[in-house]
Amino acid sequence: MTEMTPVTDTNANAADAEAPKKMVLPDAQTVTAVRHWTDRLFSFRVTRPASLRFRSGEFVMIGLMGDPHPETGKQKPLLRAYSIASPSWDEELEFYSIKVQDGPLTSKLQHIKVGDQIILRPKPVGTLVHDALLPGKRIWFFATGTGFAPFASLLREPQTYEDYDEVIITHTCREAGELQYGAELIESLKDDELLNEVIGEGFWKKIKYYPTTTREESAKMGRITDLMRSGEAFADLGVEPLNAETDRAMICGNLAFNLELKEMLEDYGLEEGANSDPKHYVVEKAFLD
Ligand code: A2P
């Protein structure tokens, strides 16, 4: 990470001399919408740099300027990896974030408002991309918490429906309120005129959504890993357990979840792929501050 000093607005004229100088952040983008889902979760949208191209499922580094150094007054950008939650064709960028009250970045980021600026390094990377998977019949998106973000992008990506007959999204959260962002997004796909036109009328019928909670009562309780081990998840979904012939998978959640599910997928016979070597499944850690 390079140390950067904020640039002051060079267009400021003499009349503005008395006014506080407007800071222009490097790689600045402007916030266009903010929505708070729970006291732990929020999503926001920002302007998209004209030159930014990315593949649905990738992440970028975003953040804010840190506090000035007590002696030098210099400020360093405070950046973290965030999956882009919007699809590659969207004219804005969307992000889905946790709020950690003493987290270096999210303790500040959670207070952003429309019109504020954030820093966005326009260098997208990531493993949760269609290019890292071999052709298959059914794709599984496995998420916990804010790990839903890359799938919010991929669920709005036409290629997901061109490549697969079935799209299964599982989302495990502690509390029911934490499922709302995902649930609303999936529900909104049905009435999305643009997507129905571009992908094909009724494309959303390929989706099977399987939300579960672990610490609050909801329609389906339990960790997805346990529900798969017992066979309950497959029975509920009306599908066979995964196999390398037909199933492809993407995993994004907390570290323990990723590791446990990775081992399970290996037991089903699936192998981990990469951009340079496409196989049956890919994994990425969800951002935590
Ligand atoms: P649990 O409540 O049983 O820990 P977090 O907010 O801590 O990132 O967790 C998000 C969700 O992921 C929680 O519902 C949590 O369940 C679940 N989870 C955590 N670790 C695992 C794991 N190893 N396998 C499956 N689910 C997990």
Side-chain angles (χ1 to χ4, degrees):
M1 202 187 291
T2 49
E3 186 166 304
M4 302 190 80
T5 319
V7 186
T8 45
D9 192 339
T10 48
N11 293 328
N13 58 32
D16 298 330
E18 296 303 307
K21 282 197 175 132
K22 192 181 164 225
M23 302 268 254
V24 179
L25 295 171
D27 292 328
Q29 296 303 323
T30 305
V31 177
T32 59
V34 182
R35 188 157 169 198
H36 293 269
W37 297 89
T38 70
D39 55 359
R40 288 179 71 222
L41 294 166
F42 71 114
S43 61
F44 56 97
R45 292 174 70 85
V46 302
T47 50
R48 175 172 176 172
S51 61
L52 177 66
R53 297 276 171 275
F54 68 96
R55 292 176 295 175
S56 295
E58 288 188 313
F59 65 82
V60 283
M61 302 300 289
I62 65 169
L64 297 169
M65 268 299 170
D67 293 332
H69 187 279
E71 279 150 31
T72 63
K74 275 193 177 172
Q75 287 174 278
K76 281 188 191 174
L78 199 55
L79 302 171
R80 294 286 185 273
Y82 267 82
S83 290
I84 302 171
S86 46
S88 58
W89 52 263
D90 200 328
E91 60 192 25
E92 291 182 339
L93 298 173
E94 184 175 316
F95 298 97
Y96 182 48
S97 179
I98 196 159
K99 307 176 200 176
V100 181
Q101 295 318 327
D102 56 357
L105 178 60
T106 62
S107 59
K108 295 191 174 73
L109 195 63
Q110 64 182 284
H111 300 297
I112 53 167
K113 296 196 173 55
V114 172
D116 287 352
Q117 293 191 334
I118 65 153
I119 305 167
L120 186 147
R121 295 270 191 265
K123 292 192 186 67
V125 282
T127 56
L128 302 184
V129 291
H130 284 305
D131 294 344
L133 296 176
L134 292 169
K137 284 197 163 38
R138 180 189 298 140
I139 182 128
W140 294 76
F141 294 145
F142 293 106
T144 65
T146 53
F148 188 88
F151 305 133
S153 173
L154 285 155
L155 284 166
R156 291 181 275 185
E157 167 58 54
Q159 194 186 346
T160 301
Y161 306 92
E162 284 157 16
D163 286 1
Y164 298 98
D165 298 336
E166 260 182 300
V167 179
I168 301 182
I169 164 88
T170 84
H171 193 196
T172 300
C173 292
R174 296 181 188 193
E175 294 168 14
E178 297 172 51
L179 294 168
Q180 202 189 337
Y181 172 78
E184 257 187 44
L185 187 136
I186 291 167
E187 189 58 31
S188 75
L189 296 177
K190 295 180 184 169
D191 303 319
D192 192 312
E193 282 179 26
L194 183 77
L195 285 180
N196 274 295
E197 195 183 314
V198 172
I199 306 175
E201 201 63 45
F203 75 94
W204 49 269
K205 289 180 189 150
K206 287 189 173 183
I207 301 173
K208 285 191 161 143
Y209 173 45
Y210 197 66
T212 80
T213 57
T214 51
R215 303 192 195 185
E216 190 186 37
E217 198 77 34
S218 74
K220 183 55 75 177
M221 295 211 49
R223 292 178 165 196
I224 185 64
T225 41
D226 295 335
L227 293 163
M228 284 166 71
R229 260 189 222 103
S230 69
E232 197 174 329
F234 303 117
D236 289 341
L237 288 163
V239 298
E240 291 296 312
L242 292 85
N243 74 79
E245 236 359 51
T246 52
D247 296 83
R248 302 292 170 258
M250 295 192 188
I251 308 173
C252 188
N254 65 53
L255 189 60
F257 167 75
N258 291 357
L259 293 174
E260 200 173 317
L261 195 53
K262 194 170 141 69
E263 207 176 298
M264 289 178 68
L265 295 190
E266 296 275 341
D267 288 343
Y268 288 120
L270 276 65
E271 291 176 46
E272 185 168 4
N275 270 286
S276 54
D277 185 18
K279 283 191 180 155
H280 310 127
Y281 77 91
V282 280
V283 191
E284 202 140 80
K285 189 156 74 73
F287 165 81
L288 287 176
D289 198 352

